[in-house]
Amino acid sequence: MGTHTYVGRSTPRIDGADKVTGAARFVDDLAFGPDLLHAEVVASPHAHARILAIDAHRAEQVPGVVRVLTGKDLPFSFGLYMKDRHVFARDRVRFVGEQVAAVIARTPKAATRAARLVDVTYEELPAVLDAATALADDAERIHPDLAEYPHVPWFYPHPDTNIAHWRKLRKGDVEAAFADADVVLEDTYTVPRYAHAAIEPHAVVAQLSHAGRLTVWTASQSPYTQRHLFAEALGLSHQDIRVITPYVGGGFGGKAGVTMEIIGAALATTVRGHPVKLHWSREQEFANTYQRQGVTAHLKVGARHDGTITALRHTLHWDAGAYVEYGANVVNAAGISATGPYRIDNVHLDSLCVYTNLPPGGPYRGFGYSEFTFGLESHLDRLADELGLDPVELRRRNAIVEGDDLPYGAPMNPSGLREAIDRAAAAIDWGVVEPDPAPHVKVGKGFAAFWKAPAMPPNAGSAAFLKFNEDGSVNISVSGMELGQGYLTAMAQIAAEVLAVPPARIRVETPDTDRNGYEWQTVASHVTWSSGNAVLAAATEAREQILDAVHRAHGHEMASLYLEDEEVRSTDDPGLALPLREIVVDGVQDPRDGTFKGGPVVGSGRFMPEFATTRSDPETGQGGKPNVHYTVGAAGLVLEVDVETGKLNVRKVALAVDAGQAINPVAVEGQILGGVLQGLATVLYEDLRFDDAGRLLNPTFTDYKIPTALDIPDEVVPIIVEVAQPDGPFGARGVGEHTMIPLAPLVANAIEDAVGVRLTAMPITAERLFLTLDGQPD
């Protein structure tokens, strides 16, 4: 490979995007005052190269430039689960678009102009652009220092390879079970990379005061986790860091953990007193934030003639990208759950997190489950055909139920999987053959089941603070994020149920780590369950304070007192009706002596799943309880296939999900509709494409297609199953990610039902389907 000097370049902004958001950005800039500075990064043009020299002399001469900084100035490393990444690349770059330097200037134009004048000399190295190549014995080692990276104890990196983590799970005797099986079916399935494609791009403003106080404004799913990682990386105390996060304009996992936000935080430490703003363009949003990891899945399944699945070997090779500090946990989560929601006695799972020279992979809605479910649920339809069984019946016979052993040995939680299967099948008239609307248009039906557990550390906690106001209204402080999923409303509803105060009189505040209670992150579809439990505890504490004050002032037995319609009432005294607004701040006056009992009512609550543990045998995965519970469901789809063009039209999707107890049924139905559409997008439209040098070819919405309202199926039938989660608030469990998980195999199964061809690679575009029908390779 040669040595080259490149004039450092920042990724150009999209003109249209600037026109749309320019006014909003100007208003935001005014909010931070005239001392606001602007940053622009210098990005690598190479997928893999050594950094030989960085010359910032010309950039520093641009009027308005304050500083030019590189990895030598800010040698900080960071990572949520594995510290394998630096704020700025130091000795080498590992993907196209990785930041190697940044310019801080007084105007955005000066920062952009100067960034283009930073000269970087590189020595190119061999680029490894797929997992298969990375796993070869003679593959270029992307992280030669892998053995030195700190990581969580449940990660198992393999030094001197490109395997960042290898999750194994072994149960029973797989080889013996395959030998005894009546039918054995084997094949490989591939899923490409995807972008989160949130309409709001990443942005950060950070300011280090002269008193040493760092304040960071972010669009984030993880304010407390960001504070923690900033503290670890920058050497600051947690008490000296404040993260403020307003509403987020789309996350889907892409704004979890830390990506570009740490750049802004680090830059701010070099210009005390000045807020520094960094705002990703759309191209940067595609190329230098988390992407959904690609995966190649090899499946081998054995079964008896009666449909009992007796053996499963599932090997997953994940293209995790250049850094896996978060993405490796996706691999881990899939590796202990890739059996799907089925009772299988003999299991052999291997989930390998593989470094490549593509952008870092990370969390994405579904957290690995969507990816392995495509292959697994496609495979089960083919297995049913081999056995001569109905695909729905095959799933019913093998469906996991309460008390069954999970793959790692713990018992399955209560769930309504069989009910979900039956109701989803009924909703699409499963078993009824639909007439073809035209000779060239064929109709098919697909079916799939799904499950997902919250992928989180065993000690991921939630806290909530609650206070009453003089008029009887309530404020709740939590640090889960409102992403459009209705989280704040659900928290208000939980408190309202306890306090007998209408939800409209309860305000739930967005996160500020200085004032709001702790929340690990808003990921894993766990905040309704976890944060909901904390809010429930805080509301219960507040209620007990109110009732105790009335008991001490009026002498009523505690057991007789209750709240209803914003009043304290008693079963022993029908005439008692104390309005909350009169007593929750001023207290309750004792009629006997005129003193007051109680005072301002405040409540606090916390929750942690004290039963969870990640301790297990690294070679077998047996032992412990790494997952707190599973949410399950099933879905059916009716599809039209135009055999002349390959065009697909989704007539109907019915999706049933077990919410435990739906706190807000309308919000659950919204999650079903949104999940269905996002799931269809991944199978029908979306696909990140890279050239042979590792450059992203479609980093804008011009070339990366996402669905619009015009692409919604003709009919979506949301079905809410409610089998209570014993430790959930009022029995609730999360459903946010689950509703997109089954869509890819639904489409693949429906296509085979309609036209008799099986597609084993995503996305299933009209072009790919047409070429397959025409007998041509795609």
Side-chain angles (χ1 to χ4, degrees):
M1 297 292 178
T3 299
H4 307 281
T5 298
Y6 281 79
V7 175
R9 55 176 188 169
S10 59
T11 305
R13 299 184 185 278
I14 303 173
D15 291 340
D18 273 354
K19 292 174 183 176
V20 171
T21 62
R25 289 212 308 274
F26 177 70
V27 172
D28 288 343
D29 292 354
L30 290 179
F32 292 100
D35 289 333
L36 177 68
L37 301 176
H38 299 267
E40 188 67 81
V41 301
V42 179
S44 166
H46 299 298
H48 199 196
R50 287 192 181 91
I51 301 172
L52 301 182
I54 300 177
D55 183 355
H57 177 73
R58 290 196 302 154
E60 291 168 340
Q61 307 310 306
V62 174
V65 168
V66 176
R67 295 202 66 172
V68 180
L69 297 147
T70 69
K72 290 183 178 180
D73 305 300
L74 299 167
F76 306 123
S77 63
F78 69 97
L80 181 57
Y81 295 103
M82 178 185 287
K83 290 180 172 56
D84 66 349
R85 193 171 186 181
H86 285 87
V87 176
F88 291 100
R90 299 192 67 194
D91 59 331
R92 66 171 73 187
V93 291
R94 293 179 170 91
F95 68 97
V96 173
E98 182 172 8
Q99 64 274 7
V100 299
V103 174
I104 303 175
R106 300 193 180 279
T107 67
K109 286 185 178 179
T112 300
R113 180 185 172 196
R116 291 171 178 160
L117 296 176
V118 175
D119 298 324
V120 185
T121 303
Y122 298 94
E123 178 187 0
E124 286 193 71
L125 297 170
V128 181
L129 302 178
D130 61 81
T133 302
L135 288 171
D137 292 339
D138 60 348
E140 179 79 7
R141 299 300 188 251
I142 297 171
H143 285 267
D145 299 328
L146 175 58
E148 300 174 15
Y149 296 157
H151 58 83
V152 294
W154 64 90
F155 277 12
Y156 307 109
H158 286 233
D160 197 32
T161 74
N162 288 317
I163 301 172
H165 173 45
W166 188 335
R167 166 55 71 182
K168 301 177 183 179
L169 193 141
R170 310 289 187 260
K171 177 184 177 185
D173 187 336
V174 170
E175 294 307 322
F178 281 130
D180 292 340
D182 296 315
V183 172
V184 175
L185 184 65
E186 194 169 2
D187 208 345
T188 300
Y189 301 83
T190 58
V191 177
R193 285 173 162 250
Y194 293 96
H196 294 80
I199 300 302
E200 175 199 50
H202 282 67
V204 60
V205 176
Q207 181 179 26
L208 183 68
S209 73
H210 291 289
R213 171 77 171 200
L214 178 65
T215 302
V216 186
W217 293 264
T218 67
S220 168
Q221 296 176 231
S222 315
Y224 266 98
T225 290
Q226 290 194 338
R227 186 187 72 163
H228 180 62
L229 293 181
F230 295 160
E232 283 191 331
L234 304 179
L236 299 175
S237 170
H238 290 70
Q239 67 180 350
D240 294 328
I241 302 175
R242 181 185 186 188
V243 178
I244 301 171
T245 306
Y247 297 97
V248 174
F252 314 116
K255 292 179 179 142
V258 171
T259 54
M260 58 83 75
E261 300 86 4
I262 201 167
I263 303 175
L267 294 176
T269 64
T270 69
V271 286
R272 285 195 178 218
H274 288 273
V276 178
K277 182 175 183 179
L278 181 64
H279 182 278
W280 259 191
S281 68
R282 181 57 61 186
E283 288 92 338
Q284 289 169 312
E285 187 72 15
F286 272 93
N288 195 0
T289 60
Y290 295 132
Q291 296 177 359
R292 192 172 98 167
Q293 300 172 68
V295 67
T296 299
H298 186 76
L299 269 162
K300 183 177 181 181
V301 178
R304 292 199 294 262
H305 285 311
D306 65 0
T308 301
I309 300 173
T310 57
L312 169 69
R313 182 188 294 274
H314 202 169
T315 302
L316 300 158
H317 291 169
W318 299 85
D319 163 20
Y323 302 102
V324 305
E325 50 91 19
Y326 202 141
N329 203 41
V330 177
V331 175
N332 192 74
I336 57 178
S337 297
T339 59
Y342 303 109
R343 181 180 58 253
I344 306 174
D345 291 335
N346 303 284
V347 177
H348 186 289
L349 301 182
D350 285 300
S351 190
L352 280 70
C353 180
V354 184
Y355 282 121
T356 67
N357 288 122
L358 294 179
Y364 183 104
R365 186 179 190 179
F367 212 75
Y369 285 73
S370 297
E371 294 90 303
F372 77 68
T373 298
F374 170 63
L376 181 63
E377 289 293 317
S378 296
H379 212 64
L380 289 187
D381 255 38
R382 299 170 68 184
L383 181 66
D385 185 59
E386 290 285 333
L387 293 168
L389 290 176
D390 179 87
V392 170
E393 181 58 28
L394 177 69
R395 291 171 171 86
R396 282 194 92 265
R397 292 185 189 183
N398 292 282
I400 197 166
V401 298
E402 181 181 1
D404 283 346
D405 283 346
L406 292 165
Y408 42 83
M412 176 62 181
N413 56 275
S415 74
L417 179 56
R418 285 180 176 164
E419 179 184 347
I421 290 172
D422 292 342
R423 293 179 65 181
I428 64 165
D429 295 322
W430 183 263
V432 176
V433 177
E434 305 283 344
D436 297 331
H440 64 285
V441 178
K442 306 298 180 182
V443 178
K445 294 182 179 180
F447 199 86
F450 59 89
W451 73 347
K452 184 186 178 297
M456 61 190 202
N459 59 340
S462 298
F465 302 133
L466 178 152
K467 68 171 184 175
F468 269 93
N469 303 306
E470 294 87 339
D471 63 354
S473 63
V474 177
N475 288 88
I476 298 174
S477 296
V478 290
S479 288
M481 277 311 306
E482 179 58 62
L483 307 170
Q485 81 279 43
Y487 161 71
L488 299 184
T489 300
M491 296 305 101
Q493 289 181 273
I494 289 171
E497 189 73 15
V498 176
L499 300 172
V501 175
R505 294 195 12 99
I506 299 176
R507 182 179 182 86
V508 187
E509 305 291 345
T510 55
D512 176 338
T513 58
D514 263 14
R515 73 181 188 210
N516 291 39
Y518 178 85
E519 182 63 53
W520 170 60
Q521 299 189 84
T522 304
V523 298
S525 301
H526 88 293
V527 291
T528 295
W529 173 74
S530 183
S531 184
N533 271 322
V535 169
L536 178 61
T540 301
E541 182 180 285
R543 180 186 65 190
E544 295 308 301
Q545 292 175 20
I546 296 167
L547 299 184
D548 177 69
V550 174
H551 159 68
R552 290 188 290 121
H554 285 264
H556 294 285
E557 292 294 328
M558 283 284 289
S560 74
L561 298 173
Y562 63 97
L563 301 180
E564 185 175 325
D565 294 334
E566 299 184 84
E567 294 178 336
V568 179
R569 299 180 182 179
S570 172
T571 56
D572 294 342
D573 182 0
L576 181 72
L578 296 176
L580 293 180
R581 66 179 181 275
E582 296 179 5
I583 63 174
V584 290
V585 171
D586 294 336
V588 184
Q589 190 169 32
D590 189 329
R592 295 166 292 192
D593 59 11
T595 60
F596 287 83
K597 304 296 188 292
V601 173
V602 294
S604 64
R606 63 180 183 171
F607 177 76
M608 180 178 286
E610 296 182 351
F611 55 84
T613 174
T614 54
R615 290 187 177 180
S616 61
D617 185 324
E619 292 301 315
T620 68
Q622 295 301 308
K625 188 174 176 58
N627 291 329
V628 292
H629 59 250
Y630 286 86
T631 295
V632 301
L637 175 145
V638 183
L639 184 74
E640 293 179 351
V641 181
D642 188 326
V643 297
E644 294 181 348
T645 64
K647 184 177 179 181
L648 303 173
N649 176 57
V650 181
R651 277 192 188 176
K652 185 176 186 178
V653 178
L655 190 144
V657 63
D658 181 2
Q661 170 67 53
I663 300 296
N664 188 324
V666 173
V668 174
E669 291 178 354
Q671 288 295 313
I672 292 173
L673 177 59
V676 164
L677 192 57
Q678 188 170 4
L680 286 174
T682 63
V683 65
L684 298 179
Y685 310 116
E686 298 183 50
D687 183 9
L688 288 172
R689 299 290 183 94
F690 298 86
D691 66 14
D692 292 341
R695 291 184 294 260
L696 182 59
L697 297 175
N698 54 336
T700 73
F701 288 140
T702 300
D703 299 310
Y704 187 88
K705 181 172 172 55
I706 59 174
T708 70
L710 298 177
D711 300 301
I712 295 175
D714 297 345
E715 182 181 5
V716 176
V717 181
I719 302 168
I720 301 173
V721 176
E722 293 181 306
V723 176
Q725 179 62 32
D727 57 5
F730 302 107
R733 66 173 77 87
V735 301
E737 297 171 89
H738 309 73
T739 57
M740 75 165 288
I741 291 173
L743 271 297
L746 282 178
V747 170
N749 292 341
I751 288 172
E752 183 175 51
D753 183 55
V755 295
V757 301
R758 169 60 60 177
L759 294 172
T760 58
M762 291 172 59
I764 301 177
T765 61
E767 178 186 21
R768 175 170 284 172
L769 178 56
F770 172 79
L771 292 174
T772 303
L773 290 170
D774 198 43
Q776 302 179 45
D778 60 6

